[in-house]
Amino acid sequence: MLQNSKWLNGLLQLIVVMSLAGCNAAIDIDKALEGYLKGPAKIYRHSLGGAPSSLDPLNSATLYANYIVINIYDTLFRYKYLARPYEIVPNLAVAMPEVSEDGLTYIIKIKKGVFYADSPAFPNGIGREVIAEDLIYSIKRHFDVVNRSQGSWLWDGKIVGLNEWKEAGSNYSDVIAGLKTLDSHTIKITLIAPYPQLIHTFAQGFSAFVPHEAVKHYGRELSVHPVGSGPFKMLRYESSNYALMIRNIKYREEPIDLEFEGYDPILHKKYGIDKIAGKSPPLVDALKIDFIKESASKWASFNKGNEINFTGVPVEQVEKILSQKQPKPILTPEMAEKYHMFNTTETGFVHTDFNMRDPLIGYNDDPVRDKRNKLLRCAIRSAFDWKERNDVFYSGIAVTFPGIIPPVVPEYDPELSNSSTLRNLDEAKRLMLEGGWTTDNVPSLVYGGVASVATRQMYEQFRGWMKDIGYPEEKVIFDSYASFGDFNKAVKQAKIMIFGMGWGLDYPDAQNTLQLFYGPFGAPGSNSSNYNNPEYNRLYEQTSTMQPSTERTQLYREMNNMVIDDCVTISGLSRENIFLWHKNVVSFTDAQIVGGFHLKFVDMLDEETK
Amino acid sequence: MSTVLDTSTAEVVEDKIGESMWSKAAYKFRRDRAGMIGLSVVAFYMLVALGVGVGLWGTEWSDNNGQKWEGVSSQYWFGTNILGQDIFERAIFSTKTAFEVGLVVAVISTLIGAFLGALSGFFSNTWIDEIILWLMGVLDSIPFYLFVAAIAFALSGFAYSMHVAMIATFWTTTSRLVRGEVIKLKNFEFVEAARAVGVPQHIIIVRHILPNTFHILLVQSTIVFVGAIKSEVILSFLGLGVKNGVSWGLMIAESTLEVQAGEFSNFYAASVLLFILVMAFNMFSDALQDALDPKKVST
């Protein structure tokens, strides 16, 4: 390991930066880095399927940005490395917050002696101590009228005085009643109404502690020059290619307590996780994350040798690398010889929505037509074949479930009938008949999507199913959009009749998916289907201030049943992700909720200890 | 070293002195073996496309009746794709798509090119000529696929946006060729004679000049035809092409992931059929060009 010496580290950084600056693109950066990080330097090479658009916590809206932001910056809370279901735990916070009985006041203490990584943004280039005021400053930035935050929705209308502060012109010297410091290391947050998901918002990149010095020094360039107190420090960032980070030597010493992290020998020992017990993260000297969008390139890079150490498995390779898909994926012997594998169900789901604002398929002022439309939607859902979709597009290993509460959240109901996810052509035809729908009078179905091969194939598959219930081929139309942005814009303008959507959970609470069907969040909000059921809305509002409880879970499930009964969406399917990493890497990866938090626990084995 | 001149063609053509340029060209074309093979293949494809158009075959191109990636069998001659669709049916249906695109683009862009080229040539060195030349210069200065993609994006949602994009770019070459020919023709005696007897300018252009550019238009339209087919494949591959239906470009785009999974049927079917048609069209076009070349015909 490198010496924990500020001087040596500074020198090494200087040498590396100078050498890299002098390198042209043709020179292998990995080798240059290895050359200068002398000794048993550990470099872990991760890969992501896309590049972040910004590393400023204000805009860490994508999975890719969040992955990096939470490794450069600190957040109050994080998720346990190994525990499933997910458990939120203190990160920069000393402990979980003290919450008042009415659920409106949160008092959070942060750790003392935590310093920002050295940066030219600070006087003399030396990072100062992290203080409670930094969090308040960081949240204020989201509500600054000159900033275009993508994360302000997390606290919009939730904290006393925050929205008013924005409306008054975002003067940073003004105090916000609901956001105060009790001392240099204690924060007091006062809410307008109970907000049980608040602590989860403080485990996201959006809530990262940003030093005001860095904002002042870099301005808009903060999006490519992140400065935080996280486990890693950015050394070189090429926005469309890779992020090269080195260990932040000022990162606090916190030896790993495997039991606390949720270690289970049956699940984790095979990955060598026991070897990191007692060590203090981060465990590697350098972390390189390559952004490789093209799955074939990523696969080739992974198989090439040590170019990247980790990859998600492309769908087209699944059949080749597995000797068994069900009931549990198993690698072929030759793959198992070389790689570790972990498969996990995504923390989200895909679904196909009907646009309820479209009178041809959704709500209609004519009560008779309104009822017929519902029968048509239900018929289409009954004709939808989730099994085939799973087999064709998700290698047959994804999980289908009824409604909009996916299996990954604790509120999921395993006892709920799955009849809404099973294809039943007889039932579909019966519903068409009951609704008086015939080949001649059915409305044209316009299926919208991005002009990609996969979306088009999904449309063609959908059209085939519709033909099975008597829909004329020419009445199932594909409405293609040049980019996801165009498609999303059309969805937000409620212009598309039927469309496939995906959702990744921000936190493990079904509220995060139930809000997708809450009436007031209709287009241009997150409720893309524009479902607007007063009873559903009432229950959503009621549960939004409730702490997790059996009662709340029951209400969640009632809401789920409403969505199923009204045939608003054809849902759902949670994809199964398969990850592979090289045998010399000690890791237990997680793509979404734990996400980038797992990277500080990744270790590399020497050849002898492999 | 001495050169032996092959005079056989010249002799035969010489024997036909007194016949029209078209009959000489037809005679010469018939003697071009490669051209005749090309024409036969194109004619065969056209028959296939017509059959699809009238519903004789290729009607099951959208059915998802098979299993994912079934092999070649008596039921599925080229196997099935990821959705269990019959690749043969889709490949056959794509022939119609190709001819539809080729025909529409070739006819309209040739008409526009002929009209504007004739105007430009007849009124050369006037403001009409300047405007048309400027327009062609502007269109030609934009990289072709970038321009086509931009128009396809701008008109997204319109089923014929790809056709419009191709027509907007393909007419310029035709127009330039026609312009040059018209500049030459307008000084010929038959045009001067028409002027002398007071024939209006538009009649001179339409009745006396344009018919004499038909040999150029014919050759150019075949070149545009095959160019449109190739462009359709590329645009469809990029997701900017065919909206409804299927095409070889879409099939090749579909095959990109299939090839990685070791499934090649979609790729082979679309590529081979496209290759044969483009090759045949090129042979046909070359032969036609040779046959209609005034220098060679009048030899």
Side-chain angles (χ1 to χ4, degrees):
Chain A
M1 290 290 288
L2 293 170
Q3 294 296 313
N4 193 359
S5 149
K6 193 166 68 182
W7 180 85
L8 180 59
N9 190 70
L11 181 65
L12 282 174
Q13 282 185 38
L14 184 68
I15 293 168
V16 171
V17 170
M18 285 173 68
S19 66
L20 293 181
C23 289
N24 61 39
I27 295 175
D28 187 339
I29 283 177
D30 291 4
K31 284 185 179 156
L33 186 65
E34 277 184 340
Y36 286 105
L37 289 176
K38 294 186 192 305
K42 295 180 179 179
I43 307 168
Y44 171 57
R45 298 169 178 86
H46 198 77
S47 66
L48 288 176
S53 50
S54 168
L55 298 183
D56 186 335
L58 276 182
N59 296 310
S60 57
T62 64
L63 186 140
Y64 313 121
N66 198 55
Y67 236 78
I68 295 174
V69 164
I70 58 178
N71 278 290
I72 300 285
Y73 293 92
D74 247 327
T75 54
L76 280 174
F77 303 102
R78 65 173 175 87
Y79 294 93
K80 284 187 178 178
Y81 178 32
L82 306 168
R84 305 289 183 276
Y86 298 101
E87 282 183 49
I88 193 164
V89 289
N91 190 25
L92 187 57
V94 172
M96 296 307 284
E98 294 171 27
V99 186
S100 63
E101 275 194 21
D102 59 6
L104 294 177
T105 308
Y106 285 65
I107 293 176
I108 305 165
K109 289 182 183 299
I110 65 166
K111 289 168 182 163
K112 293 183 177 172
V114 174
F115 289 85
Y116 286 109
D118 294 342
S119 160
F122 298 108
N124 303 320
I126 309 294
R128 65 163 171 82
E129 188 179 11
V130 179
I131 55 171
E133 191 61 43
D134 290 336
L135 178 70
I136 293 174
Y137 172 75
S138 302
I139 294 178
K140 277 181 172 175
R141 288 186 72 225
H142 285 279
F143 289 81
D144 187 333
V145 286
V146 302
N147 289 336
R148 299 174 72 180
S149 160
Q150 291 181 286
S152 60
W153 63 274
L154 287 170
W155 306 289
D156 190 20
K158 307 282 188 193
I159 296 174
V160 174
L162 186 55
N163 286 62
E164 290 78 2
W165 177 83
K166 180 180 181 178
E167 283 159 20
S170 319
N171 184 346
Y172 282 81
S173 57
D174 287 350
V175 175
I176 295 172
L179 267 180
K180 286 183 175 170
T181 56
L182 299 182
D183 59 47
S184 63
H185 288 79
T186 309
I187 303 150
K188 182 183 175 190
I189 299 171
T190 309
L191 300 173
I192 294 166
Y195 182 25
Q197 292 79 26
L198 180 71
I199 56 169
H200 291 290
T201 69
F202 291 131
Q204 295 184 37
F206 289 129
S207 68
F209 279 59
V210 180
H212 62 86
E213 295 92 337
V215 177
K216 190 178 174 191
H217 183 80
Y218 288 113
R220 292 168 69 90
E221 294 290 301
L222 191 71
S223 62
V224 291
H225 291 290
V227 180
S229 57
F232 292 97
K233 180 180 173 181
M234 188 64 74
L235 184 65
R236 191 176 172 89
Y237 175 59
E238 288 197 7
S239 57
S240 56
N241 293 326
Y242 65 87
L244 181 60
M245 293 168 267
I246 56 168
R247 193 163 64 96
N248 175 11
I249 58 161
K250 296 172 88 173
Y251 193 65
R252 55 189 174 276
E253 289 280 326
E254 286 179 342
I256 298 167
D257 178 351
L258 280 184
E259 205 170 315
F260 173 78
E261 297 294 342
Y263 178 74
D264 179 349
I266 297 168
L267 287 175
H268 306 123
K269 191 168 171 43
K270 61 186 171 191
Y271 300 118
I273 300 293
D274 54 315
K275 295 186 177 73
I276 64 168
K279 292 183 179 177
S280 190
L283 306 178
V284 292
D285 298 314
L287 168 63
K288 182 167 183 260
I289 300 183
D290 284 290
F291 313 128
I292 313 174
K293 191 176 178 186
E294 182 56 51
S295 62
S297 305
K298 187 151 71 167
W299 185 246
S301 189
F302 179 74
N303 280 290
K304 207 169 173 180
N306 222 22
E307 203 164 278
I308 55 173
N309 302 127
F310 167 90
T311 185
V313 177
V315 172
E316 62 273 13
Q317 298 294 342
V318 168
E319 307 273 350
K320 285 184 185 172
I321 67 155
L322 295 182
S323 60
Q324 174 190 298
K325 288 201 292 186
Q326 298 286 3
K328 181 184 159 199
I330 295 176
L331 279 180
T332 58
E334 54 271 28
M335 294 299 285
E337 179 79 18
K338 291 192 284 184
Y339 307 124
H340 282 305
M341 183 195 82
F342 177 65
N343 62 291
T344 179
T345 307
E346 71 167 332
T347 52
F349 65 114
V350 292
H351 48 105
T352 300
D353 288 351
F354 297 103
N355 177 8
M356 297 299 285
R357 279 191 202 161
D358 187 334
L360 294 176
I361 194 91
Y363 298 123
N364 195 295
D365 293 337
D366 174 6
V368 176
R369 177 62 194 259
D370 192 67
K371 192 180 169 194
R372 291 180 67 210
N373 281 359
K374 181 182 167 183
L375 290 166
L376 180 61
R377 293 195 303 272
C378 293
I380 291 171
R381 186 179 69 187
S382 290
F384 199 94
D385 192 340
W386 275 114
K387 185 182 177 304
E388 196 176 314
R389 177 140 295 187
N390 188 2
D391 287 342
V392 171
F393 294 103
Y394 307 107
S395 309
I397 56 174
V399 179
T400 53
F401 62 93
I404 56 171
I405 301 182
V408 76
V409 293
E411 295 85 3
Y412 170 68
D413 182 3
E415 304 299 321
L416 183 62
S417 163
N418 66 347
S419 59
S420 65
T421 64
L422 298 177
R423 186 173 210 224
N424 188 336
L425 275 183
D426 291 338
E427 174 67 1
K429 286 174 183 168
R430 188 192 67 73
L431 290 166
M432 293 283 279
L433 199 63
E434 189 184 334
W437 294 113
T438 64
T439 307
D440 296 329
N441 69 6
V442 284
S444 290
L445 297 178
V446 182
Y447 186 102
V450 181
S452 69
V453 171
T455 310
R456 194 180 178 91
Q457 285 178 326
M458 285 184 183
Y459 151 73
E460 288 207 22
Q461 192 182 47
F462 177 78
R463 182 180 58 195
W465 297 330
M466 293 306 103
K467 281 168 72 177
D468 292 341
I469 57 170
Y471 239 98
E473 185 177 296
E474 64 277 10
K475 282 196 171 183
V476 188
I477 301 157
F478 186 47
D479 186 12
S480 68
Y481 292 84
S483 66
F484 179 77
D486 291 342
F487 166 69
N488 201 37
K489 190 176 167 190
V491 170
K492 296 297 180 197
Q493 292 173 343
K495 282 184 176 172
I496 310 180
M497 192 185 222
I498 300 172
F499 47 92
M501 294 295 278
W503 182 257
L505 273 79
D506 298 296
Y507 38 80
D509 184 330
Q511 182 264 354
N512 197 235
T513 60
L514 291 167
Q515 56 95 19
L516 296 174
F517 293 86
Y518 175 51
F521 289 172
S526 55
N527 177 2
S528 303
S529 70
N530 300 300
Y531 180 52
N532 194 9
N533 178 340
E535 180 59 10
Y536 182 97
N537 296 345
R538 188 186 68 76
L539 289 180
Y540 179 82
E541 285 153 17
Q542 183 184 339
T543 53
S544 66
T545 58
M546 290 171 72
Q547 293 291 340
S549 63
T550 313
E551 187 193 354
R552 192 184 73 164
T553 300
Q554 191 52 41
L555 294 176
Y556 276 1
R557 290 175 179 175
E558 277 183 38
M559 293 158 74
N560 191 35
N561 285 332
M562 287 178 195
V563 172
I564 295 172
D565 291 344
D566 286 339
C567 299
V568 184
T569 181
I570 305 169
S571 181
L573 178 143
S574 292
R575 292 162 288 198
E576 191 74 4
N577 295 319
I578 299 179
F579 303 111
L580 293 181
W581 59 95
H582 290 189
K583 284 272 168 111
N584 62 332
V585 178
V586 176
S587 174
F588 186 72
T589 193
D590 183 273
Q592 288 166 49
I593 299 294
V594 176
F597 282 122
H598 88 278
L599 291 171
K600 72 174 181 178
F601 296 102
V602 174
D603 201 359
M604 302 287 290
L605 295 178
D606 299 330
E607 281 301 310
E608 308 84 63
T609 51
K610 217 191 296 186
Chain B
M1 195 173 105
S2 63
T3 303
V4 179
L5 181 67
D6 180 4
T7 56
S8 55
T9 308
E11 284 167 8
V12 173
V13 173
E14 207 174 317
D15 292 340
K16 303 285 176 185
I17 287 173
E19 291 186 11
S20 73
M21 182 192 84
W22 292 103
S23 58
K24 283 183 198 170
Y27 179 80
K28 193 175 177 194
F29 182 82
R30 281 198 301 274
R31 292 181 60 84
D32 189 324
R33 190 172 292 171
M36 287 304 288
I37 292 172
L39 177 62
S40 309
V41 174
V42 170
F44 176 73
Y45 269 73
M46 191 177 281
L47 275 178
V48 171
L50 282 173
V52 173
V54 298
L56 292 178
W57 43 69
T59 53
E60 294 173 10
W61 65 275
S62 66
D63 291 353
N64 308 344
N65 295 333
Q67 296 299 306
K68 176 181 176 181
W69 291 331
E70 279 190 54
V72 173
S73 66
S74 57
Q75 188 181 2
Y76 300 115
W77 292 2
F78 291 172
T80 65
N81 67 6
I82 192 170
L83 296 177
Q85 295 167 321
D86 189 333
I87 291 174
F88 177 75
E89 288 279 322
R90 290 169 74 78
I92 292 299
F93 188 91
S94 299
T95 311
K96 184 198 125 193
T97 307
F99 270 80
E100 192 179 272
V101 173
L103 206 61
V104 169
V105 173
V107 169
I108 298 179
S109 66
T110 302
L111 285 176
I112 294 172
F115 177 68
L116 292 180
L119 271 185
S120 182
F122 193 78
F123 297 107
S124 58
N125 297 320
T126 67
W127 63 271
I128 296 174
D129 186 32
E130 290 291 318
I131 289 174
I132 294 170
L133 282 177
W134 172 83
L135 184 63
M136 289 193 289
V138 168
L139 292 174
D140 287 346
S141 66
I142 305 169
F144 172 67
Y145 284 109
L146 189 68
F147 184 61
V148 172
I151 290 184
F153 270 119
L155 298 177
S156 61
F158 177 53
Y160 292 94
S161 60
M162 176 184 63
H163 300 68
V164 172
M166 284 196 263
I167 290 164
T169 50
F170 285 166
W171 68 269
T172 58
T173 311
T174 309
S175 188
R176 284 185 195 284
L177 292 170
V178 171
R179 179 180 179 272
E181 188 69 8
V182 170
I183 288 173
K184 187 178 80 182
L185 289 171
K186 75 176 182 179
N187 294 318
F188 276 27
E189 287 165 357
F190 69 94
V191 175
E192 284 179 5
R195 273 200 189 114
V197 296
V199 179
Q201 286 182 329
H202 66 277
I203 301 288
I204 294 176
I205 294 172
V206 174
R207 286 210 187 145
H208 299 284
I209 294 182
L210 269 179
N212 284 293
T213 64
F214 276 3
H215 63 289
I216 293 175
L217 298 179
L218 197 60
V219 172
Q220 190 56 24
S221 63
T222 61
I223 293 171
V224 170
F225 198 108
V226 75
I229 290 172
K230 286 193 286 183
S231 299
E232 180 278 318
V233 169
I234 294 167
L235 290 172
S236 294
F237 181 80
L238 295 173
L240 299 167
V242 173
K243 303 272 185 244
N244 298 311
V246 66
S247 76
W248 293 322
L250 281 175
M251 290 175 71
I252 292 170
E254 284 170 8
S255 73
T256 49
L257 291 180
E258 294 182 341
V259 166
Q260 290 170 44
E263 300 294 333
F264 297 93
S265 298
N266 231 346
F267 177 73
Y268 285 148
S271 307
V272 170
L273 288 179
L274 172 68
F275 174 78
I276 293 171
L277 179 61
V278 170
M279 187 61 122
F281 240 116
N282 282 337
M283 287 158 62
F284 169 56
S285 184
D286 284 349
L288 201 59
Q289 200 163 4
D290 286 346
L292 288 170
D293 187 335
K295 291 172 193 163
K296 292 180 184 173
V297 171
S298 60
T299 305

